[in-house]
Amino acid sequence: MIRSISVVYGIYLLLPIALLMVGSVGGSWTNSLLPTGITSQWYLDLWSDTSFRKAFTTSLVVAGSACVVNALIAVPLSYSLYHGAKNRGSFAAKIVSAMPVAVPTITLGFGYIIVFNSDLAPWLGSMPLLIAAHAVHTLPYLTNTLLSDLRHLGLERLENAAATLGASAWQQFTGIVVPNLRQSLLSGLVMVAAISIGEFGLSNLLTSFQNRTYPVVLLQAFYGATGFACAATVILLVLASFSAFISSTVVKKS
């Protein structure tokens, strides 16, 4: 019974992906179950399309910048939440953990539109605002990863030993905490990059024509040729799968 449910669920998940891959190399797909013919023209068209190349570069820039911002914020934030949870309860840590589920991306997007579409802060459509929005959206995921690792590592004894030898709080943080968090930090940043590259709701609300990300341009492709849209989707799928594979590999080695 359990195996049958697993097989049905696997087919439910994999069938759309398989159809996308078939459609990306199909010649014509109109009013039929499967496309007719085999061609690589859709991938060649995708490569020659300047809007997709620019959107792909924009997505990588936004994802890389969000990783840098999150790395600078998440490590000290998770460390503070970890010690704050021990001293005054875990309310703040629970809020951070629940943010990705409790606050939908469309809510964040409308909030950014209200705040940054004014004469006082006319930054709607700018690249810095897009990067900041992606960083805020993905920060709880990285913070949760680091908090879980901090609870598992139990660095209190090392910190107490360093304190007895005269190490300051900053020396304990940079010499003990940061080196021990490097594996979870790397795997968390790969997850942040994967989420940022595939993120659509925030980008569609905040981006301008000059700074469109890959998922935003991808939506417009479905209004044209089906094979071209399938090829563009497969490229996004390969990129996200590659990031997930790197993340899982790092976690297994840690």
Side-chain angles (χ1 to χ4, degrees):
M1 181 66 179
I2 296 177
R3 180 175 295 180
S4 300
I5 294 175
S6 301
V7 170
V8 172
Y9 185 64
I11 294 174
Y12 174 75
L13 290 178
L14 295 178
L15 186 58
I17 299 175
L19 289 175
L20 283 172
M21 290 182 173
V22 171
S24 68
V25 294
S28 176
W29 198 356
T30 305
N31 297 327
S32 59
L33 181 60
L34 294 174
T36 56
I38 298 176
T39 180
S40 60
Q41 187 60 42
W42 304 123
Y43 286 99
L44 296 176
D45 292 345
L46 185 64
W47 176 254
S48 62
D49 193 312
T50 55
S51 63
F52 272 87
R53 291 208 307 268
K54 184 177 180 181
F56 189 80
T57 304
T58 301
S59 287
L60 293 181
V61 171
V62 171
S65 302
C67 286
V68 172
V69 174
N70 278 351
L72 295 175
I73 297 176
V75 177
L77 176 62
S78 58
Y79 186 60
S80 301
L81 289 173
Y82 172 68
H83 280 284
K86 289 194 304 180
N87 298 329
R88 299 183 297 275
S90 58
F91 183 70
K94 289 180 180 178
I95 290 178
V96 173
S97 302
M99 276 187 65
V101 179
V103 184
T105 54
I106 194 169
T107 304
L108 280 176
F110 283 128
Y112 284 117
I113 291 175
I114 293 173
V115 174
F116 296 105
N117 192 26
S118 60
D119 294 335
L120 184 63
W123 302 330
L124 186 64
S126 65
M127 180 65 88
L129 179 61
L130 187 60
I131 293 172
H134 276 236
V136 170
H137 174 59
T138 54
L139 180 62
Y141 295 97
L142 180 58
T143 306
N144 283 332
T145 303
L146 297 176
L147 276 172
S148 300
D149 204 18
L150 281 169
R151 297 189 188 103
H152 172 72
L153 289 173
L155 301 175
E156 292 84 359
R157 287 192 301 175
L158 292 176
E159 290 177 301
N160 292 334
T164 59
L165 296 175
S168 63
W170 174 252
Q171 289 173 323
Q172 295 174 37
F173 177 73
T174 57
I176 297 175
V177 177
V178 174
N180 280 282
L181 288 178
R182 63 183 184 280
Q183 295 287 353
S184 57
L185 178 61
L186 180 58
S187 63
L189 288 177
V190 174
M191 179 176 61
V192 166
I195 294 173
S196 176
I197 289 172
E199 206 290 320
F200 172 76
L202 271 177
S203 302
N204 193 39
L205 290 173
L206 301 179
T207 192
S208 65
F209 184 79
Q210 297 296 327
N211 298 324
R212 292 183 299 173
T213 58
Y214 194 88
V216 175
V217 180
L218 176 62
L219 175 65
Q220 300 172 5
F222 278 93
Y223 294 103
T226 304
F228 184 82
C230 289
T233 308
V234 169
I235 294 298
L236 182 63
L237 178 65
V238 169
L239 188 61
S241 301
F242 182 69
S243 301
F245 174 75
I246 293 177
S247 179
S248 62
T249 303
V250 171
V251 170
K252 287 181 180 178
K253 290 182 178 180
S254 62

